[in-house]
């Protein structure tokens, strides 16, 4: 195991990961954020350098952590050799197996290998799998339909945290509330507000540079706001050099149709999120 903390090597790694798209996208997003101020206190662990076979991004050991906060305790994985990934998982000190955490990646063997190692440690694994998509380059966004209204196109603020925690399918708990606050503070977001400043529709960016929690309040749906915030956020990310990636549940036909209408590419690989829970915290974990 090596911890890659040289800024020159990290910039080189960012370039190297580009040649392994789309499977490397989650790790690539995390590395991009590390190279741009590292607001989420991440670091890179790999089996060897420069001829690596497996990479894991994780929280820095000195970062404050809540053992129940699998939102923040998140690892992104990319490997060229699945056995090298297994060896990293098994190596002492790479993963904190004494807390609830998640693993994200876009490779098909991720679940089976992670579960095999977790089973040996009596750690429970729950899998969620999604369609993965990348948005095309966005040059202009039509905002003309907002001109004769009192609607504001802006961004999320900390004052919106409770609403976002209540409306996110993964939310409703204190760990998620704190995580959303950190995302809003650290990464780009877009929000449409009514004439009183209340959020109507929004989307934000997570620690892996993934567009997430796209949501429109029920009373404001079918007005084009969701499409607007997604395109505006994509344009904002692209202006900073980030790829625009998102994950969609298979039964979310509304989001799938919207993704198709803006000519996004559905990736050949799927996005996998594993939530791992050691026996000490069984029954205490939110989805």
């Amino acid at each position: 195991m090596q911890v890659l903390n040289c800024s020159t090597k990290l910039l080189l790694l960012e370039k190297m990961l580009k040649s392994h798209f789309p499977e490397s996208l989650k790790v690539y997003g995390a590395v991009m954020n590390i190279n741009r101020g590292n607001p989420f206190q991440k670091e890179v662990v790999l089996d060897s350098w420069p001829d690596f076979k497996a990479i894991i991004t994780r929280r820095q050991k000195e970062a404050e952590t809540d053992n129940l906060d699998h939102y923040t305790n998140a690892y992104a994985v990319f490997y060229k050799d699945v056995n090298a990934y297994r060896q990293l998982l098994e190596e002492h000190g790479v993963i904190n197996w004494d807390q609830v955490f998640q693993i994200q990646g876009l490779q098909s063997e991720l679940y089976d290998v992670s579960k095999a190692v977790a089973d040996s440690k009596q750690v429970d694994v729950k899998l969620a799998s999604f369609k993965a998509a990348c948005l095309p380059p966005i040059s202009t966004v039509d905002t003309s339909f907002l001109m004769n209204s009192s609607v504001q196109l802006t961004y999320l603020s900390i004052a919106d945290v409770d609403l976002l925690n209540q409306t996110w399918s993964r939310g409703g708990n204190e760990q998620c509330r704190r995580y959303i606050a950190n995302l809003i503070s650290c990464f780009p977001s877009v929000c449409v507000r009514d004439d009183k400043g209340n959020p109507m529709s929004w989307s934000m960016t997570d620690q892996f540079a993934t567009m997430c929690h796209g949501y429109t309040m029920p009373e404001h749906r079918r007005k084009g706001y969701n499409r607007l915030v997604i395109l505006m956020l994509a344009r904002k990310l692209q202006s900073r050099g980030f790829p625009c990636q998102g994950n969609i549940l298979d039964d979310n036909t509304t989001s799938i149709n919207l993704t198709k209408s803006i000519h996004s590419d559905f990736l050949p690989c799927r996005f996998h999120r594993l939530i791992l829970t050691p026996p000490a915290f069984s029954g205490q974990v939110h989805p």
Side-chain angles (χ1 to χ4, degrees):
M1 175 190 76
Q2 295 186 36
V3 178
L4 200 67
N5 49 27
C6 168
S7 58
T8 301
K9 292 178 180 178
L10 285 165
L11 286 169
L12 178 57
L13 175 61
E14 183 180 315
K15 294 179 181 178
M16 294 165 74
L17 288 168
K18 271 190 171 183
S19 65
H20 298 287
F21 280 1
E23 288 86 357
S24 64
L25 269 170
K26 299 299 174 184
V27 169
Y28 179 78
V31 171
M32 282 195 76
N33 283 325
I34 291 171
N35 288 335
R36 287 154 183 77
N38 200 12
F40 238 71
Q41 298 175 275
K42 293 281 191 177
E43 64 185 9
V44 173
V45 178
L46 32 68
D47 62 323
S48 59
W49 178 262
D51 299 319
F52 65 86
K53 295 180 181 177
I55 297 177
I56 296 176
T57 65
R58 66 183 187 187
R59 288 270 282 177
Q60 294 174 333
K61 290 296 182 70
E62 59 269 24
E64 287 189 26
T65 186
D66 173 349
N67 284 335
L68 281 171
D69 184 4
H70 65 79
Y71 306 92
T72 304
N73 305 331
Y75 300 76
V77 171
F78 169 69
Y79 50 81
K80 301 176 188 176
D81 180 341
V82 69
N83 291 322
Y85 168 55
R86 181 193 292 270
Q87 289 169 13
L88 270 185
L89 277 182
E90 293 173 338
E91 188 168 339
H92 178 73
V94 174
I95 302 290
N96 184 352
W97 293 94
D98 295 324
Q99 63 181 193
V100 186
F101 64 96
Q102 65 172 281
I103 296 175
Q104 295 194 7
L106 290 159
Q107 290 170 283
S108 58
E109 304 101 334
L110 181 67
Y111 172 71
D112 288 341
V113 172
S114 302
K115 189 176 188 310
V117 178
D119 285 350
S120 71
K121 300 176 181 295
Q122 297 183 312
V123 170
D124 180 67
V125 183
K126 285 189 170 54
L127 169 69
S129 182
F130 304 74
K131 293 180 182 292
C134 273
L135 277 71
I138 309 297
S139 54
T140 58
V141 181
D142 181 13
T143 59
S144 60
F145 70 100
L146 299 180
M147 291 183 63
N148 297 319
S149 72
S150 55
V151 169
Q152 296 176 299
L153 183 60
T154 178
Y155 47 83
L156 292 166
S157 76
I158 295 300
D160 304 319
V161 166
D162 286 334
L163 176 62
L164 268 68
N165 190 27
Q166 293 164 13
T167 51
W168 201 3
S169 59
R170 298 179 58 207
N173 60 81
E174 181 55 33
Q175 286 82 15
C176 187
R177 185 185 187 281
R178 186 168 56 242
Y179 178 63
I180 290 171
N182 287 337
L183 293 184
I184 290 173
S185 300
C186 294
F187 304 120
S189 64
V190 172
C191 179
V192 175
R193 300 180 185 274
D194 64 18
D195 56 358
K196 296 180 181 178
N198 299 311
M200 301 162 60
S201 182
W202 60 84
S203 186
M204 60 183 183
T205 318
D206 74 7
Q207 57 189 306
F208 305 110
T210 305
M211 298 167 69
C212 66
H213 195 6
Y215 189 86
T216 301
M217 299 297 288
E219 63 270 27
H220 297 295
R221 291 175 184 170
R222 301 185 181 278
K223 299 177 182 178
Y225 295 140
N226 194 22
R227 180 188 183 94
L228 175 64
V229 296
I230 287 173
L231 291 175
M232 290 299 295
L233 182 55
R235 189 177 179 190
K236 186 180 290 190
L237 288 169
Q238 288 171 357
S239 72
R240 302 180 184 191
F242 285 86
C244 299
Q245 51 172 318
N247 312 309
I248 307 170
L249 285 168
D250 292 302
D251 60 358
N252 190 342
T253 54
T254 301
S255 291
I256 291 171
N257 290 335
L258 174 59
T259 301
K260 290 178 179 177
S261 75
I262 56 179
H263 308 295
S264 299
D265 292 323
F266 283 97
L267 303 180
C269 49
R270 292 181 62 84
F271 167 63
H272 306 288
R273 183 181 68 234
L274 286 54
I275 297 178
L276 297 95
T277 307
F281 298 110
S282 179
Q284 301 180 50
V285 181
H286 299 280

